[in-house]
């Protein structure tokens, strides 16, 4: 049942915009890679062996001890879902786009609140993810750590004293951990300081990506900051490093917002209310335009200029206006133009409910 | 050329992608192309595959491979999973956990280049961690000892020292293996 709810509901816990520094830090995510000892990595497995891995994880997650510690979790095969349903899981950031290729061999474990998800047979046998709102990397790690410990009671991990957790790709070996924070940085962009800030990040061993990972545009002024190094640093060191850098960026963005408000208040207000008005009344909206308008309106919400719209709604809408969810809602494949019309209608309806 | 999406089948479809007003070429296998068209979703390059290309390049360099050598089934073979050095070079992925010790000589320089270090200092699994866990505990206790001594808390220091000796003795006896 939880899977149906996950697919039918665009809402996910991370969208609640209620964590620390939530006016700039949208969400915090940690993923750890784990592999089973003595079994080749997923890319070398045939269908039968891949199913064995899924079976082993299934046995581990139905363990009573696991459910008592981890919560209400359920394993689903990717092959049980339609292409649209699979894509919705990607759009909600619960699985990576990579899990979609060769999906016959893959599975996902989801906790009912979607805070915990485990991808099975992605690049590694297990990729355990925790995704929560605001800047809460330590909390995310505590949760992952618990899930990891309880799975390890049943599963034998590929681990070496010297190199730590062994992964298919040498970029993940060691902690196997990728921690990231999603930041909303429109003011730094407006004052043309973004390039410098992002450049500095890459100099301290961190990576910047767009909303849907590497190689994607920074849609909606959203940036994912994550660690690059996984070997030779403890999980706590990795987290502390990111938190220190992210806190700096947050301070910069805050300063930029304050400066804009103080010196160019009419510019900010115009931007925000124009976006509000367009979203409320437009009849054709492309995904890119909607994401830009969301970013501008979000800035107004975060700065306290707009009341009556919650950032949670915008977070949910970013998933609902993606092609997959639109297809699901309309019950049909649509041409791009029709989709833009349908998207605008959906947003208009949501905004007309607001006071 | 391999498919840019799955990286596993040869690319036979060459499509023009228009996104954000920019035109670009993309190369896909038939299966992936069909899947994308059926879904009607915008295509975005798989991030990991790009990274793999990059890594494969690095590995090619570290493993002393020849750039033009595209025959995968060459070089040393992991005794455990049977993966060829050539396959690792080409795909940027190891075959199994045992590939690490097996190809260690060639991997270490690569790990140093990626991570700057070659020794894990993070979490150790409770059950399968074995000796690593005990060693980590000794290291933790040693810093506790140092701190106790600097505080001149000799009672605690003596206690911690005994604990360290006990674990070290069990390590010498092959404990945790
Ligand atoms: Zn393909
Ligand atoms: Zn191997």
């Amino acid at each position: 049942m939880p899977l149906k709810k996950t697919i039918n509901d665009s809402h996910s816990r991370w969208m609640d915009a209620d964590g620390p520094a939530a006016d700039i830090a949208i969400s915090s995510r940690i993923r750890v890679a784990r592999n089973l000892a003595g079994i080749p990595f997923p890319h070398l497995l045939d269908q039968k062996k891949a199913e064995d891995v899924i079976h082993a994880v299934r046995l581990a997650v139905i363990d009573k001890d696991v459910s008592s510690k981890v919560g209400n979790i359920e394993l689903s095969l990717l092959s049980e879902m339609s292409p649209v349903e699979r894509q919705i899981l990607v759009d909600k950031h619960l699985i990576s786009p990579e899990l979609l290729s060769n999906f016959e061999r893959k599975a996902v474990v989801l906790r009912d609140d979607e805070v915990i998800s485990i991808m099975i047979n992605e690049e590694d046998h297990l990729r355990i993810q925790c995704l929560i709102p605001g800047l809460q990397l330590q909390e995310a790690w505590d949760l992952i750590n618990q899930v990891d410990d309880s799975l390890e009671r049943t599963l034998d991990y590929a681990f070496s004293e010297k190199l730590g957790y062994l992964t298919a790709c040498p970029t993940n070996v060691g902690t196997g951990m990728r921690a990231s924070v999603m930041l909303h940085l429109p003011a730094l962009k407006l004052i043309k300081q973004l390039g410098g800030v992002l450049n500095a990040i890459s100099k301290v061993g961190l990576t910047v990506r767009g909303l849907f990972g590497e190689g994607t545009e920074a849609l909606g002024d959203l940036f994912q900051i994550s660690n690059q190094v996984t070997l030779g640093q403890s999980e706590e060191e990795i987290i502390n490093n990111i938190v220190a850098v992210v806190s700096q960026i947050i301070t910069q963005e805050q300063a930029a917002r304050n400066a804009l408000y103080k010196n160019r208040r009419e510019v900010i207000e115009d931007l925000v209310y124009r976006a509000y008005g367009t979203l409320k009344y437009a009849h054709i909206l492309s995904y890119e335009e909607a994401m830009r308008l969301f970013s501008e309106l979000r800035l107004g919400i975060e700065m306290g200029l707009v009341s009556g719209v919650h950032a949670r709604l915008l977070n949910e809408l970013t998933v609902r206006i993606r092609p997959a969810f639109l297809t699901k809602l309309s019950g049909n494949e649509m041409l791009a133009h029709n989709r833009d019309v349908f998207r605008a209608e959906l947003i208009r309806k949501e905004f007309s409910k607001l006071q | 050329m391999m498919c840019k999406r799955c990286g596993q089948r040869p690319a036979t479809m060459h499509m023009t992608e228009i996104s954000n007003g920019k035109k670009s070429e993309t190369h896909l296998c038939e299966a992936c192309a069909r899947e994308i068209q059926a879904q009607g979703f915008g295509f975005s390059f798989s991030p990991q595959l790009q990274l793999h290309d990059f890594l494969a390049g690095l590995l090619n360099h570290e493993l002393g491979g020849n750039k033009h050598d595209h025959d995968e089934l060459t070089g040393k073979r992991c005794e455990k999973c049977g993966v060829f050095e050539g396959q690792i070079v080409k795909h940027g992925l190891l075959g199994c956990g045992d590939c690490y010790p097996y190809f260690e000589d060639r991997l270490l320089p690569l790990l140093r280049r990626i991570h700057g270090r070659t020794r894990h200092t993070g979490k150790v699994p409770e059950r399968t961690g074995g000796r690593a866990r005990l060693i980590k505990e000794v290291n933790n206790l040693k810093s506790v000892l140092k701190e106790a001594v600097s505080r001149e808390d000799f009672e605690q220091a003596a206690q911690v020292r005994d604990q360290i000796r006990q674990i070290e003795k069990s390590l010498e006896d092959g404990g945790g293996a």
Side-chain angles (χ1 to χ4, degrees):
Chain A
M1 256 309 114
L3 179 70
K4 279 286 161 244
K5 190 187 150 278
T6 298
I7 288 162
N8 288 324
D9 186 357
S10 59
H11 174 262
S12 204
R13 172 74 185 100
W14 68 264
M15 300 169 186
D16 286 347
D18 60 357
D23 56 340
I24 294 173
I26 312 269
S27 60
S28 297
R29 176 173 77 187
I30 292 188
R31 263 186 202 164
V32 298
R34 298 289 185 257
N35 285 284
L36 305 183
I39 302 175
F41 297 137
H43 70 104
L44 288 185
L45 298 181
D46 58 20
Q47 183 69 26
K48 166 83 184 55
K49 293 251 175 59
E51 281 168 14
D52 291 346
V53 172
I54 295 175
H55 186 65
V57 179
R58 191 192 288 278
L59 288 180
V61 299
I62 57 172
D63 188 279
K64 275 204 195 75
D65 182 66
V66 173
S67 51
S68 74
K69 282 229 173 66
V70 178
N72 214 346
I73 49 179
E74 188 179 274
L75 184 146
S76 312
L77 299 176
L78 273 272
S79 57
E80 290 168 349
M81 306 169 201
S82 69
V84 163
E85 293 175 332
R86 288 194 286 270
Q87 184 64 37
I88 288 174
L89 296 186
V90 174
D91 292 351
K92 291 181 89 174
H93 301 287
L94 303 177
I95 63 173
S96 67
E98 287 71 35
L99 204 70
L100 301 186
S101 60
N102 294 322
F103 61 83
E104 311 81 11
R105 302 174 188 180
K106 296 171 186 181
V108 61
V109 176
L110 287 171
R111 192 165 91 173
D112 51 6
D113 63 356
E114 302 168 20
V115 163
I116 301 284
S117 58
I118 306 171
M119 291 184 269
I120 306 174
N121 289 334
E122 205 235 34
E123 187 177 275
D124 296 292
H125 294 140
L126 287 92
R127 285 271 173 100
I128 311 170
Q129 167 177 297
C130 177
L131 179 58
I132 45 180
L135 178 57
Q136 310 195 65
L137 280 179
Q138 186 58 49
E139 289 77 2
W141 167 240
D142 292 342
L143 276 166
I144 290 249
N145 204 8
Q146 234 181 15
V147 176
D148 185 40
D149 283 344
S150 54
L151 289 176
E152 202 248 335
R153 284 166 189 273
T154 348
L155 300 174
D156 283 338
Y157 285 153
F159 179 83
S160 119
E161 240 172 74
K162 256 193 254 169
L163 295 177
Y165 294 93
L166 303 176
T167 52
C169 187
T171 49
N172 298 318
V173 77
T175 57
M177 182 170 99
R178 210 56 74 181
S180 67
V181 180
M182 180 81 74
L183 296 175
H184 183 224
L185 306 174
L188 283 173
K189 192 184 77 180
L190 279 172
I191 64 163
K192 305 212 170 357
Q193 294 295 313
L194 197 54
V197 171
L198 300 185
N199 213 346
I201 294 170
S202 62
K203 293 210 170 94
V204 292
L206 301 182
T207 312
V208 188
R209 295 184 174 93
L211 180 58
F212 285 96
E214 210 170 303
T216 62
E217 281 270 311
L219 275 169
D221 304 318
L222 297 172
F223 297 87
Q224 267 186 70
I225 316 289
S226 61
N227 63 304
Q228 213 156 10
V229 168
T230 56
L231 183 62
Q233 287 182 14
S234 71
E235 290 79 1
E236 281 75 15
E237 285 170 325
I238 293 171
I239 288 167
N240 290 341
N241 185 27
I242 298 180
V243 170
V245 173
V246 162
S247 304
Q248 275 302 312
I249 304 172
I250 289 176
T251 306
Q252 301 275 328
E253 169 70 18
Q254 201 65 63
R257 289 180 186 186
N258 292 343
L260 279 170
Y261 189 73
K262 212 168 142 209
N263 304 314
R264 285 278 181 275
R265 185 169 164 186
E266 68 287 350
V267 174
I268 289 288
E269 284 175 339
D270 184 64
L271 190 77
V272 169
Y273 287 106
R274 236 171 231 282
Y276 200 175
T278 309
L279 287 165
K280 214 166 166 179
Y281 297 112
H283 278 245
I284 298 175
L285 283 172
S286 70
Y287 174 70
E288 286 73 18
E289 183 181 10
M291 286 301 283
R292 179 176 60 76
L293 296 169
F294 284 167
S295 171
E296 290 160 2
L297 177 56
R298 183 193 293 275
L299 177 64
I301 298 168
E302 289 162 350
M303 290 178 72
L305 300 174
V306 177
S307 56
V309 194
H310 198 278
R312 186 195 301 122
L313 174 67
L314 300 187
N315 287 336
E316 266 197 65
L317 283 174
T318 58
V319 171
R320 230 182 291 165
I321 64 167
R322 299 270 299 161
F325 217 92
L326 292 180
T327 303
K328 183 186 148 45
L329 286 174
S330 78
N332 268 314
E333 285 288 329
M334 278 177 286
L335 293 172
H337 173 75
N338 298 343
R339 209 152 53 204
D340 292 350
V341 173
F342 191 65
R343 176 180 293 117
E345 188 186 319
L346 182 145
I347 294 173
R348 267 201 328 276
K349 266 193 202 147
E350 276 307 325
F351 275 65
S352 71
K353 290 185 208 157
L354 301 171
Q355 286 314 303
Chain B
M1 193 183 331
M2 297 302 278
C3 170
K4 287 285 181 214
R5 185 158 176 271
C6 65
Q8 292 180 347
R9 292 175 289 258
T12 51
M13 310 281 288
H14 306 284
M15 302 165 74
T16 303
E17 185 194 20
I18 304 175
S19 80
N20 307 317
K22 271 177 257 160
K23 266 193 190 177
S24 56
E25 272 266 290
T26 183
H27 309 281
L28 302 169
C29 71
E30 222 188 326
C32 286
R34 222 181 303 124
E35 203 174 317
I36 286 164
Q37 274 171 339
Q39 292 172 1
F41 302 133
F43 181 71
S44 64
F45 282 100
S46 159
Q48 285 185 331
L49 292 176
Q50 280 185 340
L51 184 61
H52 289 165
D53 291 346
F54 173 72
L55 272 175
L58 274 180
L59 269 163
N60 200 11
H61 182 79
E62 295 303 344
L63 294 172
N66 182 340
K67 250 198 164 157
H68 305 288
D69 174 21
H70 274 301
D71 188 3
E72 293 180 27
L73 309 180
T74 54
K76 261 174 80 171
R77 260 190 110 169
C78 170
E79 285 165 356
K80 206 65 181 244
C81 68
V83 81
F84 284 94
E85 203 174 303
Q87 284 173 289
I88 299 178
V89 168
K90 189 154 177 200
H91 302 289
L93 291 177
L94 297 167
C96 74
D98 290 287
C99 286
Y100 278 94
Y102 197 73
F103 296 105
E104 188 179 29
D105 298 357
R106 288 124 190 247
L107 276 173
L108 283 181
L110 177 72
L111 291 175
R112 189 168 290 117
R113 195 181 299 185
I114 298 171
H115 301 283
R117 320 236 176 110
T118 55
R119 180 122 209 152
H120 178 60
T121 53
K123 180 176 177 176
V124 174
E126 220 165 300
R127 199 170 48 81
T128 39
R131 293 174 65 83
R133 191 165 187 85
L134 294 179
I135 292 166
K136 193 169 178 185
E137 202 177 331
V138 167
N139 287 336
N140 284 344
L141 286 171
K142 276 182 180 162
S143 53
V144 174
L145 174 65
K146 216 170 171 185
E147 206 235 343
V149 171
S150 74
R151 273 201 329 258
E152 301 193 1
D153 183 346
F154 298 112
E155 197 177 331
Q156 197 204 359
Q159 255 177 13
V160 173
R161 194 175 301 123
D162 286 346
Q163 273 177 288
I164 293 174
R165 279 196 191 128
Q166 211 175 349
I167 298 173
E168 279 178 340
K169 181 151 189 319
S170 106
L171 276 169
E172 278 164 30
D173 299 341

